[in-house]
Amino acid sequence: QVQLVESGGGLVQAGESLRLSCAASGRLLSGYSMAWFRQAPGKEREFVATIGYIPRTYYADSVKGRFTLSRDNVNKVSLQMNSPKPEDTAVYYCAASRQIGSEASQYDYWGQGTQVTVSS
C-alpha cells in the first residue's frame, strides 16, 4: 500500500531557500491530492499547501508568495521554501487525500515528517 516519505528538511538561515520532497512508495489512486502540513511545538498541526490531481494549488496565507508546491509526478511533490522565517520552524508532514482540502482529518496517508528549523 501507499507509504509517504518526506526528505529535504534541515537547518537554514532566514532568507535562505529549502526544498522539501515527498515521495509515495506505492501507487496512489487516481484523483488523490497531496499536501503539506506542519506542526510547531505547542501549536496545532496547520495546513501549508495542497495540490490536486489536476495541478491546481492552494496555500495558507502565512506562506503564500514564499512557498511553492509542485507535482513532479503522480506520486511525488516538492515544496520550495523561499524567504523562510523563524516562524516557519516546524515538523513538516506530507499527506495524501481523496479530496483536496485544508483539514488534516480528511487525509488518508501521512509521512513521518521532516524537521525544518529556520534561524534568524
Side-chain angles (χ1 to χ4, degrees):
Q1 296 298 318
V2 173
Q3 181 177 358
L4 304 180
V5 180
E6 304 96 336
S7 62
L11 173 65
V12 297
Q13 298 291 323
E16 295 181 344
S17 296
L18 190 68
R19 186 177 178 87
L20 306 182
S21 294
C22 174
S25 61
R27 177 181 294 180
L28 288 172
L29 297 177
S30 62
Y32 262 66
S33 297
M34 299 183 73
W36 287 94
F37 290 79
R38 67 187 183 186
Q39 187 166 18
K43 298 182 64 178
E44 297 291 331
R45 183 165 49 184
E46 67 173 341
F47 169 75
V48 175
T50 187
I51 185 167
Y53 178 74
I54 297 175
R56 181 175 297 174
T57 55
Y58 301 90
Y59 299 91
D61 289 341
S62 60
V63 306
K64 191 175 299 181
R66 300 186 297 117
F67 293 4
T68 302
L69 179 61
S70 60
R71 185 183 290 276
D72 301 326
N73 55 59
V74 68
N75 289 341
K76 185 178 180 181
V77 296
S78 296
L79 184 69
Q80 180 69 34
M81 303 171 61
N82 294 330
S83 301
K85 301 180 291 186
E87 66 187 65
D88 295 317
T89 295
V91 176
Y92 283 70
Y93 297 92
C94 179
S97 173
R98 297 179 183 273
Q99 180 176 302
I100 193 168
S102 61
E103 297 297 325
S105 61
Q106 75 179 99
Y107 284 81
D108 305 300
Y109 303 102
W110 291 86
Q112 293 295 119
T114 185
Q115 177 71 48
V116 173
T117 301
V118 183
S119 62
S120 60

PDB file of all heavy atoms in Angstrom, residues 60-99:
ATOM      1  N   ALA A  60      -1.738  28.316   2.388  1.00  0.00           N
ATOM      2  CA  ALA A  60      -2.109  29.061   3.575  1.00  0.00           C
ATOM      3  C   ALA A  60      -1.616  30.490   3.425  1.00  0.00           C
ATOM      4  O   ALA A  60      -0.581  30.745   2.800  1.00  0.00           O
ATOM      5  CB  ALA A  60      -1.492  28.424   4.815  1.00  0.00           C
ATOM      6  N   ASP A  61      -2.358  31.422   3.994  1.00  0.00           N
ATOM      7  CA  ASP A  61      -1.976  32.829   3.887  1.00  0.00           C
ATOM      8  C   ASP A  61      -0.577  33.085   4.447  1.00  0.00           C
ATOM      9  O   ASP A  61       0.141  33.961   3.960  1.00  0.00           O
ATOM     10  CB  ASP A  61      -2.982  33.710   4.623  1.00  0.00           C
ATOM     11  CG  ASP A  61      -4.324  33.790   3.916  1.00  0.00           C
ATOM     12  OD1 ASP A  61      -4.383  33.482   2.710  1.00  0.00           O
ATOM     13  OD2 ASP A  61      -5.312  34.171   4.564  1.00  0.00           O
ATOM     14  N   SER A  62      -0.188  32.318   5.438  1.00  0.00           N
ATOM     15  CA  SER A  62       1.095  32.531   6.088  1.00  0.00           C
ATOM     16  C   SER A  62       2.292  32.219   5.194  1.00  0.00           C
ATOM     17  O   SER A  62       3.396  32.696   5.459  1.00  0.00           O
ATOM     18  CB  SER A  62       1.183  31.695   7.369  1.00  0.00           C
ATOM     19  OG  SER A  62       1.046  30.315   7.081  1.00  0.00           O
ATOM     20  N   VAL A  63       2.093  31.421   4.144  1.00  0.00           N
ATOM     21  CA  VAL A  63       3.204  31.042   3.270  1.00  0.00           C
ATOM     22  C   VAL A  63       3.019  31.514   1.844  1.00  0.00           C
ATOM     23  O   VAL A  63       3.934  31.371   1.022  1.00  0.00           O
ATOM     24  CB  VAL A  63       3.435  29.516   3.276  1.00  0.00           C
ATOM     25  CG1 VAL A  63       3.615  29.006   4.693  1.00  0.00           C
ATOM     26  CG2 VAL A  63       2.285  28.792   2.589  1.00  0.00           C
ATOM     27  N   LYS A  64       1.874  32.066   1.534  1.00  0.00           N
ATOM     28  CA  LYS A  64       1.579  32.496   0.172  1.00  0.00           C
ATOM     29  C   LYS A  64       2.610  33.516  -0.304  1.00  0.00           C
ATOM     30  O   LYS A  64       2.924  34.474   0.398  1.00  0.00           O
ATOM     31  CB  LYS A  64       0.172  33.082   0.111  1.00  0.00           C
ATOM     32  CG  LYS A  64      -0.357  33.317  -1.296  1.00  0.00           C
ATOM     33  CD  LYS A  64      -1.807  33.777  -1.255  1.00  0.00           C
ATOM     34  CE  LYS A  64      -2.701  32.739  -0.604  1.00  0.00           C
ATOM     35  NZ  LYS A  64      -4.128  33.163  -0.579  1.00  0.00           N
ATOM     36  N   GLY A  65       3.128  33.285  -1.502  1.00  0.00           N
ATOM     37  CA  GLY A  65       4.131  34.165  -2.067  1.00  0.00           C
ATOM     38  C   GLY A  65       5.551  33.781  -1.713  1.00  0.00           C
ATOM     39  O   GLY A  65       6.497  34.310  -2.310  1.00  0.00           O
ATOM     40  N   ARG A  66       5.721  32.874  -0.755  1.00  0.00           N
ATOM     41  CA  ARG A  66       7.051  32.438  -0.331  1.00  0.00           C
ATOM     42  C   ARG A  66       7.308  30.967  -0.635  1.00  0.00           C
ATOM     43  O   ARG A  66       8.427  30.593  -0.980  1.00  0.00           O
ATOM     44  CB  ARG A  66       7.247  32.682   1.163  1.00  0.00           C
ATOM     45  CG  ARG A  66       7.108  34.149   1.569  1.00  0.00           C
ATOM     46  CD  ARG A  66       7.467  34.354   3.036  1.00  0.00           C
ATOM     47  NE  ARG A  66       6.569  33.632   3.930  1.00  0.00           N
ATOM     48  CZ  ARG A  66       6.948  32.653   4.747  1.00  0.00           C
ATOM     49  NH1 ARG A  66       8.231  32.277   4.785  1.00  0.00           N
ATOM     50  NH2 ARG A  66       6.066  32.052   5.531  1.00  0.00           N
ATOM     51  N   PHE A  67       6.295  30.142  -0.485  1.00  0.00           N
ATOM     52  CA  PHE A  67       6.425  28.708  -0.736  1.00  0.00           C
ATOM     53  C   PHE A  67       5.733  28.357  -2.053  1.00  0.00           C
ATOM     54  O   PHE A  67       4.707  28.942  -2.402  1.00  0.00           O
ATOM     55  CB  PHE A  67       5.781  27.887   0.385  1.00  0.00           C
ATOM     56  CG  PHE A  67       6.451  27.990   1.722  1.00  0.00           C
ATOM     57  CD1 PHE A  67       7.527  28.834   1.937  1.00  0.00           C
ATOM     58  CD2 PHE A  67       5.987  27.224   2.782  1.00  0.00           C
ATOM     59  CE1 PHE A  67       8.137  28.930   3.174  1.00  0.00           C
ATOM     60  CE2 PHE A  67       6.587  27.302   4.027  1.00  0.00           C
ATOM     61  CZ  PHE A  67       7.660  28.149   4.232  1.00  0.00           C
ATOM     62  N   THR A  68       6.287  27.382  -2.742  1.00  0.00           N
ATOM     63  CA  THR A  68       5.704  26.915  -3.989  1.00  0.00           C
ATOM     64  C   THR A  68       5.612  25.402  -3.987  1.00  0.00           C
ATOM     65  O   THR A  68       6.618  24.718  -3.782  1.00  0.00           O
ATOM     66  CB  THR A  68       6.534  27.372  -5.201  1.00  0.00           C
ATOM     67  OG1 THR A  68       6.631  28.801  -5.213  1.00  0.00           O
ATOM     68  CG2 THR A  68       5.880  26.906  -6.499  1.00  0.00           C
ATOM     69  N   LEU A  69       4.416  24.879  -4.206  1.00  0.00           N
ATOM     70  CA  LEU A  69       4.187  23.443  -4.253  1.00  0.00           C
ATOM     71  C   LEU A  69       4.042  23.010  -5.701  1.00  0.00           C
ATOM     72  O   LEU A  69       3.293  23.627  -6.461  1.00  0.00           O
ATOM     73  CB  LEU A  69       2.934  23.090  -3.459  1.00  0.00           C
ATOM     74  CG  LEU A  69       2.516  21.618  -3.413  1.00  0.00           C
ATOM     75  CD1 LEU A  69       3.596  20.774  -2.763  1.00  0.00           C
ATOM     76  CD2 LEU A  69       1.197  21.477  -2.657  1.00  0.00           C
ATOM     77  N   SER A  70       4.743  21.963  -6.069  1.00  0.00           N
ATOM     78  CA  SER A  70       4.661  21.448  -7.425  1.00  0.00           C
ATOM     79  C   SER A  70       4.582  19.927  -7.404  1.00  0.00           C
ATOM     80  O   SER A  70       5.035  19.281  -6.458  1.00  0.00           O
ATOM     81  CB  SER A  70       5.866  21.903  -8.257  1.00  0.00           C
ATOM     82  OG  SER A  70       7.078  21.434  -7.692  1.00  0.00           O
ATOM     83  N   ARG A  71       3.981  19.371  -8.440  1.00  0.00           N
ATOM     84  CA  ARG A  71       3.864  17.932  -8.573  1.00  0.00           C
ATOM     85  C   ARG A  71       4.874  17.446  -9.607  1.00  0.00           C
ATOM     86  O   ARG A  71       4.778  17.794 -10.784  1.00  0.00           O
ATOM     87  CB  ARG A  71       2.450  17.534  -8.982  1.00  0.00           C
ATOM     88  CG  ARG A  71       2.226  16.037  -9.027  1.00  0.00           C
ATOM     89  CD  ARG A  71       0.823  15.701  -9.516  1.00  0.00           C
ATOM     90  NE  ARG A  71      -0.206  16.056  -8.556  1.00  0.00           N
ATOM     91  CZ  ARG A  71      -0.590  15.289  -7.537  1.00  0.00           C
ATOM     92  NH1 ARG A  71      -0.014  14.110  -7.338  1.00  0.00           N
ATOM     93  NH2 ARG A  71      -1.544  15.701  -6.718  1.00  0.00           N
ATOM     94  N   ASP A  72       5.840  16.669  -9.162  1.00  0.00           N
ATOM     95  CA  ASP A  72       6.849  16.127 -10.066  1.00  0.00           C
ATOM     96  C   ASP A  72       6.258  14.997 -10.904  1.00  0.00           C
ATOM     97  O   ASP A  72       6.580  14.862 -12.080  1.00  0.00           O
ATOM     98  CB  ASP A  72       8.060  15.621  -9.280  1.00  0.00           C
ATOM     99  CG  ASP A  72       8.708  16.708  -8.456  1.00  0.00           C
ATOM    100  OD1 ASP A  72       8.713  17.869  -8.911  1.00  0.00           O
ATOM    101  OD2 ASP A  72       9.212  16.411  -7.360  1.00  0.00           O
ATOM    102  N   ASN A  73       5.427  14.179 -10.290  1.00  0.00           N
ATOM    103  CA  ASN A  73       4.659  13.145 -10.956  1.00  0.00           C
ATOM    104  C   ASN A  73       3.513  12.769 -10.029  1.00  0.00           C
ATOM    105  O   ASN A  73       3.349  13.373  -8.976  1.00  0.00           O
ATOM    106  CB  ASN A  73       5.528  11.930 -11.332  1.00  0.00           C
ATOM    107  CG  ASN A  73       6.264  11.336 -10.158  1.00  0.00           C
ATOM    108  OD1 ASN A  73       5.646  10.911  -9.183  1.00  0.00           O
ATOM    109  ND2 ASN A  73       7.583  11.287 -10.249  1.00  0.00           N
ATOM    110  N   VAL A  74       2.726  11.773 -10.403  1.00  0.00           N
ATOM    111  CA  VAL A  74       1.548  11.437  -9.616  1.00  0.00           C
ATOM    112  C   VAL A  74       1.892  11.027  -8.191  1.00  0.00           C
ATOM    113  O   VAL A  74       1.068  11.180  -7.288  1.00  0.00           O
ATOM    114  CB  VAL A  74       0.721  10.340 -10.321  1.00  0.00           C
ATOM    115  CG1 VAL A  74       1.486   9.018 -10.316  1.00  0.00           C
ATOM    116  CG2 VAL A  74      -0.641  10.194  -9.686  1.00  0.00           C
ATOM    117  N   ASN A  75       3.100  10.534  -7.975  1.00  0.00           N
ATOM    118  CA  ASN A  75       3.491  10.028  -6.663  1.00  0.00           C
ATOM    119  C   ASN A  75       4.553  10.867  -5.953  1.00  0.00           C
ATOM    120  O   ASN A  75       5.132  10.415  -4.963  1.00  0.00           O
ATOM    121  CB  ASN A  75       4.000   8.592  -6.777  1.00  0.00           C
ATOM    122  CG  ASN A  75       2.892   7.609  -7.065  1.00  0.00           C
ATOM    123  OD1 ASN A  75       1.711   7.890  -6.847  1.00  0.00           O
ATOM    124  ND2 ASN A  75       3.262   6.440  -7.560  1.00  0.00           N
ATOM    125  N   LYS A  76       4.809  12.064  -6.432  1.00  0.00           N
ATOM    126  CA  LYS A  76       5.846  12.885  -5.809  1.00  0.00           C
ATOM    127  C   LYS A  76       5.529  14.359  -5.936  1.00  0.00           C
ATOM    128  O   LYS A  76       5.130  14.822  -7.000  1.00  0.00           O
ATOM    129  CB  LYS A  76       7.212  12.588  -6.439  1.00  0.00           C
ATOM    130  CG  LYS A  76       8.364  13.308  -5.774  1.00  0.00           C
ATOM    131  CD  LYS A  76       9.693  12.934  -6.423  1.00  0.00           C
ATOM    132  CE  LYS A  76      10.850  13.654  -5.761  1.00  0.00           C
ATOM    133  NZ  LYS A  76      12.141  13.314  -6.407  1.00  0.00           N
ATOM    134  N   VAL A  77       5.706  15.086  -4.842  1.00  0.00           N
ATOM    135  CA  VAL A  77       5.541  16.534  -4.844  1.00  0.00           C
ATOM    136  C   VAL A  77       6.728  17.168  -4.131  1.00  0.00           C
ATOM    137  O   VAL A  77       7.407  16.523  -3.335  1.00  0.00           O
ATOM    138  CB  VAL A  77       4.236  16.987  -4.159  1.00  0.00           C
ATOM    139  CG1 VAL A  77       3.022  16.476  -4.916  1.00  0.00           C
ATOM    140  CG2 VAL A  77       4.206  16.539  -2.700  1.00  0.00           C
ATOM    141  N   SER A  78       6.958  18.435  -4.434  1.00  0.00           N
ATOM    142  CA  SER A  78       8.036  19.183  -3.808  1.00  0.00           C
ATOM    143  C   SER A  78       7.499  20.503  -3.286  1.00  0.00           C
ATOM    144  O   SER A  78       6.604  21.102  -3.881  1.00  0.00           O
ATOM    145  CB  SER A  78       9.169  19.441  -4.804  1.00  0.00           C
ATOM    146  OG  SER A  78       9.770  18.240  -5.233  1.00  0.00           O
ATOM    147  N   LEU A  79       8.046  20.945  -2.172  1.00  0.00           N
ATOM    148  CA  LEU A  79       7.696  22.229  -1.585  1.00  0.00           C
ATOM    149  C   LEU A  79       8.947  23.087  -1.563  1.00  0.00           C
ATOM    150  O   LEU A  79       9.882  22.815  -0.811  1.00  0.00           O
ATOM    151  CB  LEU A  79       7.146  22.053  -0.171  1.00  0.00           C
ATOM    152  CG  LEU A  79       6.665  23.333   0.511  1.00  0.00           C
ATOM    153  CD1 LEU A  79       5.400  23.858  -0.166  1.00  0.00           C
ATOM    154  CD2 LEU A  79       6.403  23.090   1.995  1.00  0.00           C
ATOM    155  N   GLN A  80       8.956  24.103  -2.406  1.00  0.00           N
ATOM    156  CA  GLN A  80      10.072  25.037  -2.444  1.00  0.00           C
ATOM    157  C   GLN A  80       9.805  26.145  -1.445  1.00  0.00           C
ATOM    158  O   GLN A  80       8.801  26.859  -1.548  1.00  0.00           O
ATOM    159  CB  GLN A  80      10.229  25.615  -3.860  1.00  0.00           C
ATOM    160  CG  GLN A  80      11.371  26.609  -4.007  1.00  0.00           C
ATOM    161  CD  GLN A  80      12.727  25.965  -3.892  1.00  0.00           C
ATOM    162  OE1 GLN A  80      12.918  24.831  -4.307  1.00  0.00           O
ATOM    163  NE2 GLN A  80      13.680  26.687  -3.309  1.00  0.00           N
ATOM    164  N   MET A  81      10.697  26.285  -0.479  1.00  0.00           N
ATOM    165  CA  MET A  81      10.540  27.266   0.572  1.00  0.00           C
ATOM    166  C   MET A  81      11.526  28.400   0.349  1.00  0.00           C
ATOM    167  O   MET A  81      12.721  28.255   0.578  1.00  0.00           O
ATOM    168  CB  MET A  81      10.760  26.629   1.945  1.00  0.00           C
ATOM    169  CG  MET A  81       9.831  25.455   2.228  1.00  0.00           C
ATOM    170  SD  MET A  81      10.262  24.526   3.732  1.00  0.00           S
ATOM    171  CE  MET A  81      10.090  25.790   4.984  1.00  0.00           C
ATOM    172  N   ASN A  82      11.011  29.521  -0.116  1.00  0.00           N
ATOM    173  CA  ASN A  82      11.827  30.708  -0.312  1.00  0.00           C
ATOM    174  C   ASN A  82      11.517  31.724   0.776  1.00  0.00           C
ATOM    175  O   ASN A  82      10.396  31.799   1.267  1.00  0.00           O
ATOM    176  CB  ASN A  82      11.571  31.318  -1.686  1.00  0.00           C
ATOM    177  CG  ASN A  82      12.025  30.433  -2.823  1.00  0.00           C
ATOM    178  OD1 ASN A  82      12.968  29.657  -2.692  1.00  0.00           O
ATOM    179  ND2 ASN A  82      11.355  30.545  -3.962  1.00  0.00           N
ATOM    180  N   SER A  83      12.508  32.504   1.126  1.00  0.00           N
ATOM    181  CA  SER A  83      12.371  33.521   2.178  1.00  0.00           C
ATOM    182  C   SER A  83      11.778  32.957   3.463  1.00  0.00           C
ATOM    183  O   SER A  83      10.839  33.530   4.029  1.00  0.00           O
ATOM    184  CB  SER A  83      11.514  34.688   1.678  1.00  0.00           C
ATOM    185  OG  SER A  83      12.074  35.282   0.529  1.00  0.00           O
ATOM    186  N   PRO A  84      12.277  31.823   3.936  1.00  0.00           N
ATOM    187  CA  PRO A  84      11.725  31.268   5.176  1.00  0.00           C
ATOM    188  C   PRO A  84      12.012  32.175   6.366  1.00  0.00           C
ATOM    189  O   PRO A  84      13.019  32.892   6.390  1.00  0.00           O
ATOM    190  CB  PRO A  84      12.437  29.919   5.305  1.00  0.00           C
ATOM    191  CG  PRO A  84      13.743  30.121   4.604  1.00  0.00           C
ATOM    192  CD  PRO A  84      13.415  31.019   3.436  1.00  0.00           C
ATOM    193  N   LYS A  85      11.127  32.119   7.340  1.00  0.00           N
ATOM    194  CA  LYS A  85      11.239  32.911   8.547  1.00  0.00           C
ATOM    195  C   LYS A  85      11.302  31.986   9.755  1.00  0.00           C
ATOM    196  O   LYS A  85      10.876  30.836   9.677  1.00  0.00           O
ATOM    197  CB  LYS A  85      10.037  33.855   8.670  1.00  0.00           C
ATOM    198  CG  LYS A  85       9.891  34.810   7.494  1.00  0.00           C
ATOM    199  CD  LYS A  85       8.683  35.719   7.651  1.00  0.00           C
ATOM    200  CE  LYS A  85       7.389  34.948   7.519  1.00  0.00           C
ATOM    201  NZ  LYS A  85       6.198  35.866   7.541  1.00  0.00           N
ATOM    202  N   PRO A  86      11.822  32.470  10.882  1.00  0.00           N
ATOM    203  CA  PRO A  86      11.871  31.621  12.079  1.00  0.00           C
ATOM    204  C   PRO A  86      10.523  31.015  12.440  1.00  0.00           C
ATOM    205  O   PRO A  86      10.469  29.892  12.954  1.00  0.00           O
ATOM    206  CB  PRO A  86      12.376  32.580  13.164  1.00  0.00           C
ATOM    207  CG  PRO A  86      13.245  33.537  12.412  1.00  0.00           C
ATOM    208  CD  PRO A  86      12.526  33.751  11.100  1.00  0.00           C
ATOM    209  N   GLU A  87       9.439  31.716  12.176  1.00  0.00           N
ATOM    210  CA  GLU A  87       8.113  31.206  12.487  1.00  0.00           C
ATOM    211  C   GLU A  87       7.722  30.012  11.616  1.00  0.00           C
ATOM    212  O   GLU A  87       6.717  29.356  11.891  1.00  0.00           O
ATOM    213  CB  GLU A  87       7.060  32.310  12.348  1.00  0.00           C
ATOM    214  CG  GLU A  87       6.879  32.816  10.928  1.00  0.00           C
ATOM    215  CD  GLU A  87       5.948  34.012  10.858  1.00  0.00           C
ATOM    216  OE1 GLU A  87       6.318  35.072  11.415  1.00  0.00           O
ATOM    217  OE2 GLU A  87       4.856  33.885  10.272  1.00  0.00           O
ATOM    218  N   ASP A  88       8.495  29.731  10.568  1.00  0.00           N
ATOM    219  CA  ASP A  88       8.249  28.560   9.730  1.00  0.00           C
ATOM    220  C   ASP A  88       8.840  27.295  10.334  1.00  0.00           C
ATOM    221  O   ASP A  88       8.634  26.207   9.799  1.00  0.00           O
ATOM    222  CB  ASP A  88       8.832  28.768   8.330  1.00  0.00           C
ATOM    223  CG  ASP A  88       8.144  29.883   7.570  1.00  0.00           C
ATOM    224  OD1 ASP A  88       6.905  29.955   7.620  1.00  0.00           O
ATOM    225  OD2 ASP A  88       8.858  30.675   6.909  1.00  0.00           O
ATOM    226  N   THR A  89       9.588  27.428  11.411  1.00  0.00           N
ATOM    227  CA  THR A  89      10.185  26.272  12.065  1.00  0.00           C
ATOM    228  C   THR A  89       9.098  25.312  12.543  1.00  0.00           C
ATOM    229  O   THR A  89       8.180  25.701  13.255  1.00  0.00           O
ATOM    230  CB  THR A  89      11.045  26.715  13.253  1.00  0.00           C
ATOM    231  OG1 THR A  89      12.161  27.483  12.775  1.00  0.00           O
ATOM    232  CG2 THR A  89      11.577  25.509  14.017  1.00  0.00           C
ATOM    233  N   ALA A  90       9.209  24.065  12.123  1.00  0.00           N
ATOM    234  CA  ALA A  90       8.204  23.063  12.465  1.00  0.00           C
ATOM    235  C   ALA A  90       8.610  21.720  11.881  1.00  0.00           C
ATOM    236  O   ALA A  90       9.549  21.632  11.085  1.00  0.00           O
ATOM    237  CB  ALA A  90       6.827  23.462  11.917  1.00  0.00           C
ATOM    238  N   VAL A  91       7.890  20.688  12.276  1.00  0.00           N
ATOM    239  CA  VAL A  91       7.986  19.410  11.587  1.00  0.00           C
ATOM    240  C   VAL A  91       6.994  19.462  10.443  1.00  0.00           C
ATOM    241  O   VAL A  91       5.812  19.749  10.646  1.00  0.00           O
ATOM    242  CB  VAL A  91       7.666  18.225  12.515  1.00  0.00           C
ATOM    243  CG1 VAL A  91       7.684  16.919  11.735  1.00  0.00           C
ATOM    244  CG2 VAL A  91       8.674  18.162  13.659  1.00  0.00           C
ATOM    245  N   TYR A  92       7.467  19.203   9.255  1.00  0.00           N
ATOM    246  CA  TYR A  92       6.625  19.260   8.073  1.00  0.00           C
ATOM    247  C   TYR A  92       6.206  17.853   7.656  1.00  0.00           C
ATOM    248  O   TYR A  92       7.043  16.957   7.534  1.00  0.00           O
ATOM    249  CB  TYR A  92       7.363  19.942   6.921  1.00  0.00           C
ATOM    250  CG  TYR A  92       7.403  21.441   7.066  1.00  0.00           C
ATOM    251  CD1 TYR A  92       8.178  22.038   8.055  1.00  0.00           C
ATOM    252  CD2 TYR A  92       6.648  22.268   6.232  1.00  0.00           C
ATOM    253  CE1 TYR A  92       8.193  23.413   8.216  1.00  0.00           C
ATOM    254  CE2 TYR A  92       6.663  23.641   6.384  1.00  0.00           C
ATOM    255  CZ  TYR A  92       7.435  24.210   7.375  1.00  0.00           C
ATOM    256  OH  TYR A  92       7.452  25.580   7.524  1.00  0.00           O
ATOM    257  N   TYR A  93       4.907  17.675   7.443  1.00  0.00           N
ATOM    258  CA  TYR A  93       4.345  16.382   7.097  1.00  0.00           C
ATOM    259  C   TYR A  93       3.725  16.412   5.709  1.00  0.00           C
ATOM    260  O   TYR A  93       3.017  17.351   5.359  1.00  0.00           O
ATOM    261  CB  TYR A  93       3.258  15.976   8.093  1.00  0.00           C
ATOM    262  CG  TYR A  93       3.742  15.777   9.507  1.00  0.00           C
ATOM    263  CD1 TYR A  93       3.711  16.820  10.419  1.00  0.00           C
ATOM    264  CD2 TYR A  93       4.221  14.539   9.928  1.00  0.00           C
ATOM    265  CE1 TYR A  93       4.149  16.642  11.724  1.00  0.00           C
ATOM    266  CE2 TYR A  93       4.649  14.351  11.224  1.00  0.00           C
ATOM    267  CZ  TYR A  93       4.609  15.408  12.118  1.00  0.00           C
ATOM    268  OH  TYR A  93       5.031  15.224  13.412  1.00  0.00           O
ATOM    269  N   CYS A  94       3.968  15.383   4.954  1.00  0.00           N
ATOM    270  CA  CYS A  94       3.319  15.188   3.675  1.00  0.00           C
ATOM    271  C   CYS A  94       2.082  14.324   3.886  1.00  0.00           C
ATOM    272  O   CYS A  94       2.082  13.427   4.735  1.00  0.00           O
ATOM    273  CB  CYS A  94       4.279  14.510   2.701  1.00  0.00           C
ATOM    274  SG  CYS A  94       3.590  14.181   1.065  1.00  0.00           S
ATOM    275  N   ALA A  95       1.030  14.593   3.133  1.00  0.00           N
ATOM    276  CA  ALA A  95      -0.198  13.833   3.258  1.00  0.00           C
ATOM    277  C   ALA A  95      -0.886  13.692   1.903  1.00  0.00           C
ATOM    278  O   ALA A  95      -0.650  14.491   0.997  1.00  0.00           O
ATOM    279  CB  ALA A  95      -1.146  14.514   4.251  1.00  0.00           C
ATOM    280  N   ALA A  96      -1.729  12.680   1.789  1.00  0.00           N
ATOM    281  CA  ALA A  96      -2.486  12.447   0.565  1.00  0.00           C
ATOM    282  C   ALA A  96      -3.953  12.227   0.912  1.00  0.00           C
ATOM    283  O   ALA A  96      -4.268  11.576   1.910  1.00  0.00           O
ATOM    284  CB  ALA A  96      -1.939  11.247  -0.196  1.00  0.00           C
ATOM    285  N   SER A  97      -4.820  12.775   0.093  1.00  0.00           N
ATOM    286  CA  SER A  97      -6.257  12.712   0.333  1.00  0.00           C
ATOM    287  C   SER A  97      -7.016  12.460  -0.957  1.00  0.00           C
ATOM    288  O   SER A  97      -6.562  12.839  -2.035  1.00  0.00           O
ATOM    289  CB  SER A  97      -6.740  14.026   0.962  1.00  0.00           C
ATOM    290  OG  SER A  97      -8.153  14.066   1.057  1.00  0.00           O
ATOM    291  N   ARG A  98      -8.186  11.831  -0.822  1.00  0.00           N
ATOM    292  CA  ARG A  98      -9.048  11.629  -1.979  1.00  0.00           C
ATOM    293  C   ARG A  98      -9.675  12.937  -2.439  1.00  0.00           C
ATOM    294  O   ARG A  98     -10.112  13.046  -3.580  1.00  0.00           O
ATOM    295  CB  ARG A  98     -10.161  10.631  -1.647  1.00  0.00           C
ATOM    296  CG  ARG A  98      -9.674   9.238  -1.307  1.00  0.00           C
ATOM    297  CD  ARG A  98     -10.846   8.333  -0.961  1.00  0.00           C
ATOM    298  NE  ARG A  98     -10.388   7.017  -0.561  1.00  0.00           N
ATOM    299  CZ  ARG A  98     -10.153   6.028  -1.401  1.00  0.00           C
ATOM    300  NH1 ARG A  98     -10.325   6.205  -2.700  1.00  0.00           N
ATOM    301  NH2 ARG A  98      -9.738   4.858  -0.947  1.00  0.00           N
ATOM    302  N   GLN A  99      -9.723  13.906  -1.539  1.00  0.00           N
ATOM    303  CA  GLN A  99     -10.356  15.179  -1.837  1.00  0.00           C
ATOM    304  C   GLN A  99      -9.469  16.326  -1.389  1.00  0.00           C
ATOM    305  O   GLN A  99      -8.963  16.321  -0.267  1.00  0.00           O
ATOM    306  CB  GLN A  99     -11.721  15.258  -1.147  1.00  0.00           C
ATOM    307  CG  GLN A  99     -12.494  16.536  -1.385  1.00  0.00           C
ATOM    308  CD  GLN A  99     -13.863  16.494  -0.755  1.00  0.00           C
ATOM    309  OE1 GLN A  99     -14.664  15.606  -1.060  1.00  0.00           O
ATOM    310  NE2 GLN A  99     -14.143  17.446   0.133  1.00  0.00           N
TER     311      GLN A  99
END
